[in-house]
Amino acid sequence: MKIQPEIRKIFEKVVSLAVTNKNFNSTDTSRIVAESLWSLAAQKRGAIIVFSGKEHINDRISGGYILKAVPSFPLLMSIFDPNSPGHDGAVVIADNILTHLGVRLPMSESSRISEEYGTRHHAAMGMVENTDALVLLVSEERGSVSSFENEKMTRLSSPEEIVAAIENHFSQPGSASYDQFARIKPRTVLQFIASLLIATVFWSTLILGQKQIFERTMTIPIEYTSPGQDLVLVDNKVYELVVHLAGPKFAMNDFAVSAPKAHVDLSQMSERTQTVPVSAENIERPKDVRLIDIYKKPSPLLLSLSGNCQMA
């Protein structure tokens, strides 16, 4: 059974919200990013870096290039060089690894960002409106660094504040899971509940539908094995049977599309008129499909030479 993409996304959403470990513990990465962004701001070179959170973000980004690399100052500076093919897009960092570069982010559809800000700012806000990611941005017009998180934009005034923003994004203060749930936005809670309800209804409906018993009448062909030596079937042979079956919907559907046949063995017949019985054992079918009755057409099955036989 294949799960449709929409249903799969719902389950991915539920799983991602249940994750409690963000797998980020590198102060080196924080400082490398902070140093790079502060240097880019001093040169008024635009940049945007996304740190993923607990939620999957692959369905929110588009375009760009996959790049599995350890972040470094030279690498980030070269990526956001104006001559680099990916400098206008965003860089994604997950689990201390630079995973993508040059990607596009969803544009904000709200009025949280003034129209005086450019495309990067609206893309950064759009990302944090749709995910729990942290976005760090360098404005080439202003030569400033800002963070975007929880649908808010904050101006950062030093490399230390950049480091603090990154580490706060991944920190988990307090006990167990209370603080994490306290930080979850109401929108995220509603998404979780809605996803869980939809998943529950989907699987309940699917299971009930599979358990329900359906009845169906079908016409199926008869396939004969060769009779014994010097015997042949002649005239008015029965070519098909009408059968009445019952079983779960999925099993009945599988049976219908499998080109079912009734098999009749004539290899042991002798040269005389005989009755050939046809029962459930003659019909190939899934074990969950039950044969209720057989309605055959009243045509005799004949053998040449000295005998003939008829279908029972």
Side-chain angles (χ1 to χ4, degrees):
M1 182 187 308
K2 294 183 178 179
I3 301 177
Q4 296 299 320
E6 293 78 7
I7 300 300
R8 185 178 67 252
K9 288 181 181 179
I10 289 172
F11 283 102
E12 288 177 349
K13 181 73 172 179
V14 172
V15 171
S16 68
L17 291 175
V19 174
T20 58
N21 180 16
K22 294 183 181 180
N23 297 323
F24 186 92
N25 55 12
S26 175
T27 302
D28 290 341
T29 299
S30 302
R31 295 195 178 281
I32 288 170
V33 170
E35 181 182 356
S36 301
L37 294 181
W38 200 251
S39 180
L40 289 166
Q43 301 175 40
K44 289 193 173 184
R45 288 161 56 183
I48 185 166
I49 296 179
V50 178
F51 286 91
S52 62
K54 294 189 295 293
E55 299 176 11
H56 294 286
I57 66 171
N58 286 347
D59 60 341
R60 298 295 183 180
I61 62 177
S62 60
Y65 309 91
I66 295 176
L67 176 64
K68 305 295 183 182
V70 176
S72 66
F73 180 83
L75 178 59
L76 290 172
M77 295 300 290
S78 64
I79 288 174
F80 292 112
D81 184 283
N83 297 314
S84 168
H87 78 280
D88 281 332
V91 161
V92 177
I93 296 178
D95 298 338
N96 297 315
I97 297 297
L98 196 160
T99 61
H100 297 77
L101 67 88
V103 300
R104 294 187 295 272
L105 307 182
M107 300 298 291
S108 173
E109 297 180 357
S110 72
S111 58
R112 294 184 177 90
I113 292 292
S114 170
E115 292 299 326
E116 67 180 271
Y117 288 101
T119 302
R120 282 195 182 92
H121 289 77
H122 287 274
M125 181 58 74
M127 191 65 179
V128 300
E129 287 174 347
N130 288 279
T131 71
D132 65 346
L134 166 69
V135 180
L136 299 176
L137 179 147
V138 176
S139 170
E140 57 187 324
E141 295 84 3
R142 298 169 179 80
S144 61
V145 181
S146 300
S147 68
F148 293 76
E149 190 171 26
N150 296 323
E151 302 178 4
K152 294 180 180 179
M153 171 182 167
T154 303
R155 180 79 171 266
L156 304 176
S157 57
S158 68
E160 289 71 27
E161 288 190 6
I162 300 175
V163 171
I166 298 171
E167 294 186 346
N168 287 340
H169 176 64
F170 293 103
S171 65
Q172 299 180 8
S175 61
S177 301
Y178 176 79
D179 289 336
Q180 288 185 18
F181 281 105
R183 294 197 302 271
I184 295 178
K185 295 175 286 188
R187 173 182 61 83
T188 302
V189 175
L190 291 176
Q191 287 179 340
F192 175 82
I193 294 173
S195 298
L196 191 59
L197 287 175
I198 292 172
T200 301
V201 171
F202 171 77
W203 285 112
S204 298
T205 303
L206 185 62
I207 292 171
L208 289 175
Q210 290 180 343
K211 289 185 176 180
Q212 187 176 356
I213 300 300
F214 291 82
E215 293 188 15
R216 184 171 180 177
T217 299
M218 299 175 57
T219 300
I220 62 175
I222 301 175
E223 185 177 78
Y224 298 92
T225 61
S226 299
Q229 188 176 5
D230 298 328
L231 296 176
V232 294
L233 293 174
V234 297
D235 299 334
N236 300 323
K237 183 171 69 173
V238 179
Y239 290 95
E240 58 187 22
L241 297 175
V242 179
V243 294
H244 187 191
L245 306 160
K249 184 177 181 179
F250 74 93
M252 294 287 283
N253 289 340
D254 289 346
F255 178 72
V257 300
S258 65
K261 297 177 182 178
H263 298 274
V264 177
D265 184 6
L266 303 180
S267 61
Q268 303 301 317
M269 290 185 61
S270 58
E271 299 181 20
R272 60 186 176 84
T273 301
Q274 307 176 54
T275 297
V276 180
V278 178
S279 65
E281 295 180 355
N282 296 86
I283 302 173
E284 293 182 355
R285 64 193 191 285
K287 63 179 181 180
D288 295 327
V289 173
R290 177 169 52 91
L291 178 66
I292 297 177
D293 203 354
I294 298 177
Y295 310 100
K296 63 180 182 297
K297 295 182 179 180
S299 299
L301 179 64
L302 302 177
L303 285 175
S304 63
L305 299 180
S306 62
N308 60 27
C309 72
Q310 59 186 10
M311 184 73 70

